[in-house]
């Protein structure tokens, strides 16, 4: 019983850098091209495109949400926000890498704005659940936004504050979403890239609250 409770505690609490798994120096193998969009997963990306990074639970369903949006050039599933270099899926699931399952979104801001992506992010999951999303429990499934610059950081924070007001008005709790500058994004294994395009009957616990997210002007600038 102690072993099981100890393992659960590890999954619900982020490790300290000294406690994280060592990882490896080389990137783990992944797909070269996006199965749906037919573009190179790791680039090079055309000039004028911007990147965004979101964690909203299981990255299988999260990635599909974004690749369906007009103006999104390519997406990728991966690991972000942790300590272990080049982690594997199995390592991330232990909670001992510190990473969240995340989606990298490369988009044309002239077609779909960062504010538009934020709206999709907030409305597509429950950002009040802490270290879980539905039946998926652990730090890897936490809600997170990793920003590429100060403008994204300010926009993400403004959208969070506005959406929390809406959620509280609808009877929900405090938003637990982590918002932080993006560090290294580690591409997940090939099997996890565009998983639901390869396995259309696959399941993933991703469900919104049903509360509309009105993006404030501060987040749309």
């Amino acid at each position: 019983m102690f072993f099981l409770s100890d393992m659960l505690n590890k999954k619900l609490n982020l490790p300290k850098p000294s406690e994280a798994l060592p990882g490896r120096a080389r990137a783990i193998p992944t797909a070269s091209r996006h199965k749906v969009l037919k573009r190179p997963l790791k680039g090079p990306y055309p000039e004028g495109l911007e990147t965004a990074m979101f964690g909203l639970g299981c990255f299988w369903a999260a990635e599909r949400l974004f690749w369906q949006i007009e103006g999104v050039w390519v997406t990728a599933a991966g690991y972000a926000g942790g300590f272990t270099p080049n982690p594997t899926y199995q390592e991330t699931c232990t909670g001992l890498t510190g990473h969240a399952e995340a989606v990298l979104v490369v988009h044309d801001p002239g077609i779909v704005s960062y504010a538009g992506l934020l709206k999709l992010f907030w409305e597509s999951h429950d950002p009040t659940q802490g270290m879980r999303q539905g039946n998926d429990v652990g730090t890897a499934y936490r809600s997170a936004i990793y920003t590429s610059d100060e403008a994204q950081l300010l926009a993400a924070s403004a959208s969070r504050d506005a959406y929390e007001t809406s959620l509280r008005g609808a009877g929900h709790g405090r938003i637990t979403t982590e918002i932080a500058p993006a560090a290294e994004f580690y591409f997940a294994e090939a099997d996890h890239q565009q998983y639901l395009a390869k396995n259309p009957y696959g399941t993933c616990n991703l469900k919104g609250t049903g509360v509309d997210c009105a993006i404030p002007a501060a987040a749309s600038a």
Side-chain angles (χ1 to χ4, degrees):
M1 180 65 71
F2 174 78
F3 174 77
L4 291 177
S5 63
D6 188 53
M7 287 299 295
L8 181 61
N9 183 59
K10 282 180 166 47
K11 290 190 70 173
L12 294 177
N13 293 279
L14 289 169
K16 298 175 182 177
S18 60
E19 298 171 335
L21 297 175
R24 55 203 49 79
R26 292 187 177 184
I28 58 176
T30 191
S32 59
R33 301 186 74 81
H34 195 283
K35 180 174 177 60
V36 178
L37 301 176
K38 311 300 183 185
R39 292 167 178 151
L41 215 61
K42 294 187 175 183
Y45 308 131
E47 289 188 19
L49 301 188
E50 296 180 359
T51 61
M53 200 182 301
F54 303 102
L56 52 158
C58 171
F59 52 18
W60 295 344
E63 187 190 8
R64 181 172 62 182
L65 283 173
F66 289 102
W67 84 54
Q68 294 175 334
I69 300 300
E70 183 180 3
V72 169
W73 196 80
V74 78
T75 60
Y79 315 110
F83 308 111
T84 299
N86 299 300
T88 66
Y89 179 74
Q90 289 77 13
E91 289 170 342
T92 301
C93 287
T94 68
L96 294 175
T97 72
H99 292 290
E101 290 193 11
V103 178
L104 178 69
V105 182
V106 182
H107 67 107
D108 182 341
I111 300 175
V112 57
S113 67
Y114 185 62
L117 297 179
L118 285 171
K119 180 176 175 64
L120 178 64
F121 166 80
W122 292 119
E123 292 180 350
S124 297
H125 75 303
D126 183 346
T128 70
Q129 294 193 1
M131 299 300 184
R132 67 180 302 158
Q133 198 60 216
N135 293 328
D136 291 326
V137 179
T139 58
Y141 302 107
R142 67 188 185 270
S143 176
I145 303 173
Y146 299 115
T147 59
S148 61
D149 55 29
E150 185 68 14
Q152 282 194 0
L153 183 62
L154 292 174
S157 299
S159 69
R160 174 201 57 204
D161 295 345
Y163 195 46
E164 185 166 76
T165 298
S166 298
L167 286 174
R168 285 186 176 277
H172 294 274
R174 180 180 64 87
I175 284 178
T176 59
T177 302
E178 174 189 7
I179 300 178
E184 186 80 20
F185 177 84
Y186 297 103
F187 288 80
E189 295 87 339
D191 288 351
H192 296 294
Q193 303 299 338
Q194 301 84 62
Y195 180 87
L196 293 184
K198 305 168 188 172
N199 303 276
Y201 298 106
T203 59
C204 215
N205 292 303
L206 190 61
K207 184 179 180 181
T209 61
V211 178
D212 180 66
C213 176
I215 299 293
S220 300

